[in-house]
Amino acid sequence: MYDVNSKHAEDFINHEEILATLAYADENKNNLPLIESLIEKAAKRKGLSHREASVLLACEDPDLNEKIFRLAEQIKKDFYGNRIVLFAPLYLSNYCINGCTYCPYHLKNKHIPRKKLSQEDIKREVIALQDMGHKRLALEAGEDPVHNTMDYYLDSINTIYNIKHKNGAIRRVNINIAATTVDNYRLLKEAGIGTYILFQETYHKESYLELHPTGPKHDYDYHTEAMDRAMEGGVDDVGIGVLFGLDKFRYEFAGLLMHAEHLEAAFGVGPHTISVPRLRNADDIDADAFTNGIDDDTFAKIVACIRIAVPYTGMIISTRESQQVRERVLHLGVSQISGGSRTSVGGYCEPEPEDEKSEQFDVIDNRTLDEVVQWLMKMDYLPSFCTACYREGRTGDRFMSLCKSGQIQNCCHPNALMTLEEYLMDYASPETKRIGDMLIDREVLNVPNEKARAVVLENLKLIRENNRR
Ligand code: SAM
């Protein structure tokens, strides 16, 4: 029985409700008055339900689709301005006891080298990431209770936060690790994690059980209810996502939104971020063998419809996507991207030898962070290294209310400008610095409040004189 408030996975991600949603969307995909009215409702920027957003996703009318894209673009501008937050993944360990059929870390893969970073390795990798200019990391690991223990994660987080190197410090450590217990989530929160990220992979239970035939991840309910336990453990910033390509995208889209609705209903705070990864080739994985892949047009439509449905939720695109695809979807709703990423265990401070490749999937966008930053700025985006909200305790519902009230613009824009200037001074190539300084000089005029603008100008001057507060 569908119940958005229920604590049981199969109630809040209810199969019958998703099927009814898909049937409703299909019936109404050419119902122009209804679609017009949904676009009008969405323009109020209060979001849409999973049923409503599914109708927009199914819409076949080219003019209305154009309106959907324009609205997504406008909502993105209103809520996030032109800022794009940058981060990098750090793979800690690829030991894994699960049997996920799409992931090369699966237990039966006997030829992929298994690696786990020691605390010394982590220091070296993090210093290499800091030397690129990164301030935010997403820790990644397979699931292995012997090799990848909670103590190991806690030590790693502690190591990372305590590395001081030149002007750099990692200010926000997010973590993408297997579903765990309330007590462990509490420990992660106490260790100072930013967002706890866990992808559902697929919301379709039957497919989920087939795609995860063995190992602890096979337990659909335990996996699907992970964010509820995380919230109970005090982690109020959670990141959800599906791996597009595993099951039918319309099903996944409805499931994602139902998950967001559930978290908001049950805990008063929706997901902090939604990720939209697409399945990629990897060591012993042929993505073409999975028949539910989506093309770039569908991908763009999904991003636009998520933006409209949950305007206050950040959206993440990784280097699984090419420069071209990233360019296409950035303005439709994406607020965070990774740059200069490696998906191998180690590999930031020195490349892995050819015969020791431990990557999780093929990175499509292989550019350096400097190239990504320069590319963003040439398109008039403002790359942001800001982590102020997190450091000042504006997480969970406090962050959401800031975002929903539109106030995010007033504090984020100045912080983005100042952290970008720090990046330019410390890490950028001369050409990136030149482009960035021109952008900052233009953008500072857009700080609405006169007093705030004066403070930002003074801070920028100090940063440029290498005289930081
Ligand atoms: N062990 C954790 C778990 O159980 O969710 C997480 C980690 S894994 C390092 C991060 C994500 O990579 C997975 O959730 C999955 O969606 C994604 N992934 C796995 N195989 C992939 C592939 N072949 N292409 C693209 N993404 C993949």
Side-chain angles (χ1 to χ4, degrees):
M1 251 275 282
Y2 176 52
D3 176 0
V4 70
N5 283 298
S6 170
K7 293 273 148 87
H8 298 292
E10 285 164 60
D11 297 338
F12 63 79
I13 306 291
N14 181 258
H15 181 62
E16 276 69 40
E17 171 57 19
I18 298 185
L19 293 185
T21 298
L22 300 189
Y24 176 72
D26 201 44
E27 266 163 42
N28 287 295
K29 65 186 175 199
N30 289 307
N31 181 344
L32 305 190
L34 173 70
I35 296 170
E36 286 271 14
S37 74
L38 291 175
I39 296 174
E40 265 169 42
K41 182 175 179 191
K44 296 191 176 119
R45 288 143 174 72
K46 301 266 186 258
L48 291 178
S49 70
H50 62 275
R51 281 208 181 197
E52 293 167 335
S54 293
V55 173
L56 296 193
L57 185 66
C59 167
E60 288 182 337
D61 182 78
D63 292 341
L64 290 181
N65 274 337
E66 199 45 39
K67 274 195 178 176
I68 292 169
F69 282 119
R70 295 295 77 81
L71 177 61
E73 214 172 314
Q74 197 53 49
I75 291 178
K76 159 84 200 293
K77 268 198 198 124
D78 294 349
F79 279 79
Y80 297 90
N82 56 349
R83 290 176 307 281
I84 301 287
V85 167
L86 288 155
F87 74 97
L90 175 61
Y91 280 74
L92 295 179
S93 162
N94 65 357
Y95 282 93
C96 194
I97 58 165
N98 285 313
C100 315
T101 57
Y102 51 86
C103 178
Y105 292 174
H106 66 90
L107 183 65
K108 284 194 185 146
N109 187 346
K110 296 294 177 208
H111 67 267
I112 195 167
R114 299 288 168 174
K115 298 185 187 176
K116 172 182 162 185
L117 299 181
S118 67
Q119 299 306 312
E120 279 310 306
D121 296 333
I122 292 175
K123 276 188 200 154
R124 278 194 293 274
E125 288 287 285
V126 170
I127 285 172
L129 283 157
Q130 289 181 354
D131 281 340
M132 293 181 203
H134 277 296
K135 305 284 184 221
R136 280 182 186 237
L137 299 182
L139 303 186
E140 308 274 344
E143 180 166 13
D144 184 322
V146 174
H147 289 96
N148 311 339
T149 60
M150 192 47 56
D151 281 347
Y152 170 68
Y153 294 135
L154 298 174
D155 286 349
S156 305
I157 295 164
N158 186 42
T159 297
I160 295 169
Y161 278 135
N162 284 300
I163 298 170
K164 299 285 175 280
H165 173 63
K166 298 186 191 160
N167 282 334
I170 297 298
R171 301 199 195 114
R172 180 168 175 129
V173 176
N174 299 332
I175 190 162
N176 178 2
I177 53 167
T180 184
T181 61
V182 174
D183 286 346
N184 281 340
Y185 287 122
R186 197 166 287 122
L187 292 171
L188 288 170
K189 177 71 184 174
E190 282 163 14
I193 60 157
T195 310
Y196 171 65
I197 303 162
L198 183 70
F199 300 156
Q200 179 62 30
E201 319 301 6
T202 175
Y203 284 100
H204 192 288
K205 182 170 181 180
E206 221 178 285
S207 305
Y208 183 98
L209 297 177
E210 278 170 24
L211 290 158
H212 306 93
T214 54
K217 196 163 171 174
H218 180 73
D219 188 336
Y220 174 88
D221 289 357
Y222 191 73
H223 188 82
T224 312
E225 291 159 11
M227 294 316 189
D228 296 58
R229 293 193 301 282
M231 292 266 183
E232 268 174 57
V235 178
D236 49 7
D237 275 0
V238 299
I240 61 174
V242 291
L243 186 53
F244 284 104
L246 296 183
D247 205 293
K248 305 264 184 304
F249 70 91
R250 294 184 201 285
Y251 193 102
E252 307 295 22
F253 177 83
L256 255 179
L257 294 183
M258 286 165 76
H259 201 172
E261 287 163 10
H262 163 68
L263 294 173
E264 174 115 29
F267 301 97
V269 50
H272 185 66
T273 53
I274 291 184
S275 297
V276 285
R278 282 195 283 185
L279 185 67
R280 293 297 173 209
N281 286 332
D283 185 65
D284 66 345
I285 306 296
D286 173 11
D288 291 335
F290 293 76
T291 51
N292 291 309
I294 52 172
D295 60 24
D296 294 348
D297 291 344
T298 307
F299 187 61
K301 182 88 186 282
I302 290 171
V303 169
C305 289
I306 292 177
R307 181 66 306 136
I308 287 175
V310 281
Y312 49 85
T313 300
M315 217 188 299
I316 303 181
I317 295 264
S318 74
T319 53
R320 290 176 183 87
E321 299 299 335
S322 66
Q323 174 178 338
Q324 287 75 7
V325 170
R326 291 172 126 198
E327 241 161 66
R328 182 158 175 206
V329 298
L330 271 176
H331 66 288
L332 295 175
V334 173
S335 53
Q336 291 191 32
I337 64 170
S338 47
S341 305
R342 303 262 189 288
T343 65
S344 46
V345 182
Y348 282 113
C349 61
E350 21 184 285
E352 285 189 307
E354 233 1 86
D355 56 345
E356 281 181 31
K357 296 273 187 205
S358 63
E359 287 148 337
Q360 196 196 16
F361 54 82
D362 293 353
V363 169
I364 311 281
D365 185 345
N366 279 298
R367 292 171 298 163
T368 62
L369 181 62
D370 187 77
E371 287 167 334
V372 171
V373 167
Q374 190 181 121
W375 158 77
L376 286 172
M377 296 191 305
K378 281 183 174 159
M379 296 185 294
D380 273 337
Y381 287 109
L382 189 61
S384 175
F385 294 90
C386 182
T387 53
C389 274
Y390 161 69
R391 279 178 293 139
E392 286 162 25
R394 287 192 298 270
T395 60
D397 56 351
R398 289 169 300 287
F399 175 81
M400 283 298 161
S401 53
L402 185 78
C403 197
K404 284 180 182 171
S405 68
Q407 280 306 307
I408 202 164
Q409 293 280 47
N410 285 327
C411 44
C412 296
H413 195 67
N415 283 331
L417 290 172
M418 292 183 288
T419 55
L420 177 59
E421 189 57 57
E422 287 175 355
Y423 169 84
L424 295 175
M425 288 294 294
D426 293 342
Y427 308 104
S429 64
E431 180 60 1
T432 301
K433 172 135 181 30
R434 189 185 67 75
I435 295 169
D437 281 337
M438 284 188 333
L439 176 75
I440 289 174
D441 290 344
R442 278 198 312 276
E443 285 289 337
V444 76
L445 303 176
N446 297 332
V447 177
N449 178 300
E450 211 173 305
K451 260 193 190 159
R453 200 179 324 129
V455 172
V456 179
L457 278 167
E458 176 60 16
N459 279 337
L460 286 171
K461 183 166 161 282
L462 292 174
I463 297 167
R464 284 175 179 170
E465 288 167 356
N466 248 328
N467 183 13
R468 290 180 206 181
R469 286 188 170 147

